[in-house]
Every structure is written in C-alpha cells, then in structure tokens.
C-alpha cells in the first residue's frame, strides 16, 4: 500500500443537528444533510455538525467519521438499504470512493482541504444506527462485515469543500489496517501479543488502547447488547 495508490476526492460532506427522533429514547444527530459550501474543520470536526451524546460520540478522537461510498452498492445488493440510497445514510461526515477499511491504516495522516487529519480508530456501531435505518440488525451487520468506516482526529484545522483532493502524506503504521484493528476490537479475537502491541500504539485512540490492554490480559468483559440493541431511556 504505497502512497501513490492512495488517491481520493471528497464526494460528500455532511452535518446534522440534535433532534428527538424516537419516542422514549435518546435524541440523536445521526441524520446528516449535505454541506454544499466550503466548511471549517475545528479540532472536534465540522463546525456545523453536532452530536447528541458526547460521552460516546464526537470529541477529539471522533472528530470526523469517514465512510466509503464504495460500500453502498453492496449494502443495497444485500437488501440492507433501498435501491438508490446515497450517503450519508449511516450518519457519516465524509464520503469518498477508493478508500476502504482494507486500504487505510491506523495513523494515516491525510491532507483534507487545508486541514490535516489522522485516522485513530474504527467505528463501534450502536443501536441508533438500527433506529435510523429502521432495521434491528443494521448495527450487527456493520460489526460483522467490518464495513464500519473510521474516525479522524484533527491535527491541523482548516477548511474543506466537496471536490477537494485527499492526499495521504504519512503512514506510520502500515502493518495495522483499519479493517484488522476494527475487527479485533469488535470481536476481541486477536493474539494477546498483537493486542499488547496495539495497546502501546500512540496513533490509536486512547479508549481503544485501553481496551486492547485488557484484551491482551484476558480482562476485557463487555456486554455489547446495550450498544447494539439499546434500551428505552
């Protein structure tokens, strides 16, 4: 995976507002609308975007969610999305063709418009994805397929617009694709020695480093049912 092979252009930018979507359940900003003009990227993402629950969404290590537009045809073919569905059906902020979880790595630094961003973790899908798409199995399918997208931290603020090029400018961790690391985090199936390596990887988000430290010691005990299925508040 050389730098020369990593070529992409911003196909879509999306932002949302917090809204009460589902009676008796938490509000959400997963419904994103297209941003048609150049927009500022701050250290916590697009300045026009919002997150409802800041304990699990947003923040420095989840500043921007990038999702491959490449996957939409597959989701449609598999029956998970209606024909003609376009980004941002999954609540993503950034859409491209040509960048997928197996082609990018934890730690990759991209020039995005005039900003610099770094991949720091994959996405752990939650029940709001099910509610948004009207399918109780959507989050589980995300997790099973590894088609989760990934998050950036912002190293340098700037502006971005649809049509801007995305250029890979540094790849410090070519051995750790987003696909492998995200699957390992979501399934907890990884050799303890490799989990220990990830626990010490500075490019990886802090919460994931802590989780891999526990996995390496066989001490991570998670009940994922609340995240994947949710519960009435």
């Amino acid at each position: 995976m050389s730098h020369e092979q990593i070529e992409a252009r911003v196909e879509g930018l999306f932002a949302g507002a917090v809204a009460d979507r589902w009676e008796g359940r938490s509000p959400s900003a997963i419904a994103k609308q297209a941003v048609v003009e150049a927009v500022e990227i701050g250290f916590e993402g697009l300045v026009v975007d919002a997150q409802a629950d800041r304990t699990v969404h947003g923040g420095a290590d989840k500043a921007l969610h990038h999702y491959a537009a490449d996957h939409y045809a597959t989701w449609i073919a598999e029956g998970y999305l209606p024909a003609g569905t376009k980004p941002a059906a999954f609540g993503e902020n950034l859409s491209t063709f040509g960048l997928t979880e197996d082609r990018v790595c934890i730690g990759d630094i991209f020039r995005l418009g005039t900003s610099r961003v770094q991949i720091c973790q994959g996405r752990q899908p939650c029940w709001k994805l099910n509610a948004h798409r009207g399918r109780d199995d959507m989050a589980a399918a995300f997790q099973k397929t590894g088609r989760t997208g990934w998050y950036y931290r912002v190293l340098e603020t700037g502006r971005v617009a649809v049509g801007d090029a995305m250029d890979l400018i540094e790849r410090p961790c070519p051995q750790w694709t987003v696909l492998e690391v995200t699957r390992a985090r979501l399934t907890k199936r990884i050799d303890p020695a490799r989990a220990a390596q990830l626990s010490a990887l500075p490019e990886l988000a802090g919460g994931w480093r802590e989780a891999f430290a526990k996995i390496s010691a066989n001490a991570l005990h998670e009940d994922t049912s609340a995240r994947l299925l949710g519960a009435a508040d």
Side-chain angles (χ1 to χ4, degrees):
M1 289 184 291
S2 70
H3 289 200
E4 290 73 27
Q5 294 176 297
I6 305 300
E7 299 175 356
R9 195 162 293 279
V10 177
E11 300 290 337
L13 294 167
F14 310 97
V18 176
D20 288 311
R21 298 280 309 282
W22 312 290
E23 186 176 355
R25 307 193 85 173
S26 302
S28 175
I30 194 172
K32 307 294 185 186
Q33 303 298 320
V35 178
V36 296
E37 298 180 348
V39 64
E40 186 177 343
I41 297 176
F43 284 113
E44 295 197 354
L46 301 179
V47 297
V48 294
D49 194 32
Q51 300 84 32
D53 184 354
R54 297 282 294 181
T55 64
V56 292
H57 299 120
D61 280 346
K62 293 182 181 177
L64 291 165
H65 180 245
H66 187 159
Y67 198 78
D70 314 61
H71 294 326
Y72 273 79
T74 304
W75 287 119
I76 291 169
E78 292 173 347
Y80 285 96
L81 293 175
T85 301
K86 301 184 184 302
F90 301 128
E92 62 265 39
N93 300 119
L94 174 63
S95 178
T96 61
F97 285 102
L99 298 180
T100 49
E101 292 81 358
D102 59 339
R103 296 196 70 224
V104 296
C105 299
I106 297 296
D108 279 1
I109 298 175
F110 285 88
R111 176 66 64 183
L112 174 60
T114 61
S115 73
R116 282 191 310 120
V117 297
Q118 182 175 45
I119 298 176
C120 56
Q121 61 181 305
R123 177 176 176 178
Q124 291 176 278
C126 75
W127 66 266
K128 290 183 178 181
L129 186 58
N130 296 344
H132 181 54
R133 296 311 320 162
R135 292 190 63 114
D136 291 340
D137 58 351
M138 195 74 243
F142 247 53
Q143 184 159 305
K144 181 179 179 180
T145 61
R147 301 193 298 257
T148 68
W150 55 90
Y151 286 102
Y152 295 102
R153 64 170 61 96
V154 177
L155 302 181
E156 181 182 338
T157 62
R159 292 178 68 80
V160 64
V162 173
D164 283 353
M166 285 195 70
D167 298 318
L168 178 65
I169 55 179
E170 190 174 339
R171 171 163 282 173
C173 311
Q175 73 277 29
W176 294 116
T177 66
V178 167
L179 181 62
E180 179 183 1
V181 175
T182 304
R183 278 183 169 164
R185 174 66 186 94
L186 297 180
T187 67
K188 301 182 247 333
R189 291 196 291 268
I190 183 174
D191 180 87
R194 286 179 67 74
Q197 292 174 26
L198 284 168
S199 74
L201 196 70
E203 292 83 3
L204 190 61
W208 281 39
R209 292 200 308 269
E210 293 170 8
F212 280 116
K214 293 178 180 178
I215 292 172
S216 70
N218 195 29
L220 181 64
H221 306 291
E222 287 182 317
D223 180 359
T224 60
S225 59
R227 171 170 61 81
L228 291 174
L229 302 176
D233 295 329

